[in-house]
Amino acid sequence: MLHISRRARLLACLMALALLVPVAGLRLQTTQQLEQFHRRTLHAWPANNAFAGDPVAWFRDARAWLVDRAYPIRHAAQWRRQLLLHVLHTSPQGNIALGDDGFIFLTGVDENTRYSIIEGACINAHTAEAGAALRRALAQLAQYSERSGIAVDVVVLPTLLTMYPERLPNSIPQIYRDACAARGRGESPLLDVAAPAGLHYSFPMAELRAARDDPAFFPQANWHAYGLSVKVARDSYLRQLGLAPPSTEHLKRVDKPSEILLMHGFTLLRPAWQVDSDTVAPDASGNDAFRAAIADLAPNPRFITYGWKNSTPLRAEKVLMVSDSYGQLTAPLYTAAFSSMVQITANDFKNTSVPLLVQRTRETRGVDRLILLVHDGGIYRIFGWASALQRSVLISIEGAH
């Protein structure tokens, strides 16, 4: 007769409870939390009638459903990242690179495409073909500006990858480190592009490189430009417009969480320069009206916009900034030169929606100036937006005839 000791029974019960936790804890996590963690839509539970047709596929789909939701998947992943970063002093995720002297680089969109961002910012954006495409885009935008009566400016901002390539760790493949180093030396067709008459184009790599030695300048663990780096880029742009930097701004040295690590649940402080303005303030009502006017164009109801107003503008102009995510932190500093601004992060919008964005904004609040702003790896967005804007004025001319 088999005898199972009390200790063995206790251990078996504890093991059963441990195996039950991933299922028992399912309700402790919301679908929204899990989709933010996985950065995609969760797998659906397979239809019951699918079992008879293909049992193997049914169990595979059921397993995928459970793997997406197993508790505590989010906490376990975070504990692992904490161990990697704070104990082993290594990158907590494959698309994040820990560089020299506290620098942290975002090199890819996710772990499946861990070098997609560095390839775009250091290689794809700076080919001869990209330079030629930018010249065509600027010519198209100049035509749009002349036909529409709206001033158009293009601003391209360098990233941490092209600003501080010597800080990249050796774990980054040599092809990317060499490409980023070449951009840092000023080897880029984007620097040789001249704007046609009636249009301004700014790629202030030289000005930013000249001021980069301050560790709080960019700052050194952010994906987006912030603070003093934005001000230096903005001042370079204003000089093209014949404007001096606003005298109503103040710099304040602060410690801010690393933006890159904060996106993954870590708080690691790094120095930064914060730019405060006496005259620029959020414009909630203006932003609400702007969102209402363009909401039907958005592919995602959580699209990002901001509104800003300026009580003492250098120019009495209403501005629309269409940008990638770099526009979110730069828009308030650019508003310091103008009467008001609405900014939209248009990454997910169709190129053909951009002319409608301008039209709706013009009808709702007026548009004197259109600023198209991207980081260097997003230069291709300018090509698509420019083509769509030019096409819109050509169609309107044909329609008039």
Side-chain angles (χ1 to χ4, degrees):
M1 181 176 180
L2 180 64
H3 174 73
I4 301 176
S5 68
R6 179 179 298 178
R7 181 180 179 185
R9 289 197 298 268
L10 177 61
L11 288 174
C13 289
L14 290 175
M15 290 179 62
L17 288 173
L19 293 172
L20 185 62
V21 165
V23 177
L26 289 178
R27 292 186 177 276
L28 299 178
Q29 305 170 117
T30 67
T31 298
Q32 182 179 3
Q33 289 173 329
L34 290 168
E35 288 185 341
Q36 288 176 347
F37 170 75
H38 290 292
R39 298 187 180 183
R40 58 171 172 78
T41 302
L42 302 182
H43 287 97
W45 182 260
N48 293 333
N49 58 9
F51 181 83
D54 191 344
V56 174
W58 190 93
F59 277 111
R60 183 181 62 242
D61 293 343
R63 180 179 181 277
W65 181 92
L66 180 59
V67 167
D68 276 356
R69 296 163 175 82
Y71 181 82
I73 185 171
R74 295 185 303 120
H75 300 87
Q78 189 65 5
W79 294 332
R80 172 182 171 274
R81 292 168 181 166
Q82 293 278 5
L83 174 68
L84 288 171
L85 181 65
H86 297 301
V87 179
L88 302 179
H89 305 290
T90 190
S91 173
Q93 195 156 306
N95 59 325
I96 296 175
L98 304 185
D100 298 334
D101 300 327
F103 279 81
I104 299 175
F105 298 92
L106 188 66
T107 61
V109 173
D110 52 37
E111 291 198 282
N112 295 323
T113 56
R114 61 177 55 190
Y115 299 123
S116 58
I117 289 177
I118 193 171
E119 183 169 348
C122 292
I123 298 178
N124 298 343
H126 304 276
T127 63
E129 291 77 12
L134 180 58
R135 289 185 177 86
R136 288 194 299 272
L138 296 183
Q140 291 170 328
L141 291 169
Q143 184 179 36
Y144 171 80
S145 178
E146 181 182 3
R147 298 287 188 181
S148 67
I150 298 174
V152 179
D153 304 324
V154 174
V155 179
V156 181
L157 298 179
T159 63
L160 201 71
L161 296 162
T162 49
M163 284 283 296
Y164 299 94
E166 74 283 359
R167 306 293 188 182
L168 288 166
N170 291 334
S171 58
I172 299 296
Q174 189 72 42
I175 184 174
Y176 299 124
R177 285 186 283 128
D178 288 346
C180 293
R183 307 295 84 83
R185 293 192 300 268
E187 299 174 15
S188 171
L190 303 187
L191 292 167
D192 301 325
V193 173
L199 184 140
H200 298 99
Y201 163 64
S202 175
F203 180 45
M205 173 65 88
E207 293 90 334
L208 290 169
R209 290 277 296 179
R212 76 184 189 121
D213 289 342
D214 184 337
F217 177 64
F218 195 86
Q220 60 189 194
N222 272 25
W223 163 240
H224 297 102
Y226 173 81
L228 185 55
S229 56
V230 175
K231 175 175 166 52
V232 169
R234 190 276 318 271
D235 291 350
S236 175
Y237 161 76
L238 291 183
R239 283 192 291 271
Q240 291 191 14
L241 272 61
L243 300 174
S247 59
T248 54
E249 293 176 331
H250 315 281
L251 285 170
K252 181 171 67 175
R253 181 99 169 202
V254 296
D255 288 326
K256 291 182 69 66
S258 161
E259 183 189 44
I260 293 172
L261 292 182
L262 196 62
M263 291 188 295
H264 296 85
F266 297 100
T267 300
L268 187 66
L269 297 180
R270 286 289 185 266
W273 285 107
Q274 181 174 301
V275 182
D276 296 318
S277 172
D278 295 334
T279 64
V280 175
D283 181 9
S285 60
N287 187 45
D288 289 344
F290 174 55
R291 292 182 66 85
I294 64 171
D296 62 306
L297 302 175
N300 182 341
R302 294 191 294 270
F303 66 100
I304 298 173
T305 65
Y306 291 97
W308 301 92
K309 56 187 177 182
N310 183 5
S311 59
T312 313
L314 303 177
R315 281 193 181 177
E317 293 182 350
K318 297 177 180 179
V319 178
L320 167 63
M321 177 183 284
V322 177
S323 71
D324 59 18
S325 60
Y326 259 57
Q328 295 168 27
L329 297 179
T330 61
L333 273 73
Y334 281 71
T335 308
F338 307 106
S339 297
S340 65
M341 178 181 293
V342 284
Q343 176 268 333
I344 180 166
T345 302
N347 292 5
D348 297 331
F349 282 70
K350 295 179 180 178
N351 291 335
T352 51
S353 295
V354 173
L356 292 173
L357 286 173
V358 180
Q359 179 185 331
R360 302 275 184 88
T361 310
R362 197 174 198 178
E363 294 169 352
T364 304
R365 54 183 289 126
V367 177
D368 301 305
R369 184 174 297 274
L370 172 64
I371 298 177
L372 304 179
L373 184 146
V374 296
H375 68 82
D376 45 11
I379 191 71
Y380 65 93
R381 299 189 190 279
I382 299 294
F383 309 156
W385 297 342
S387 177
L389 287 165
Q390 182 202 39
R391 196 178 308 116
S392 71
V393 293
L394 293 177
I395 291 173
S396 64
I397 293 171
E398 293 172 359
H401 294 297

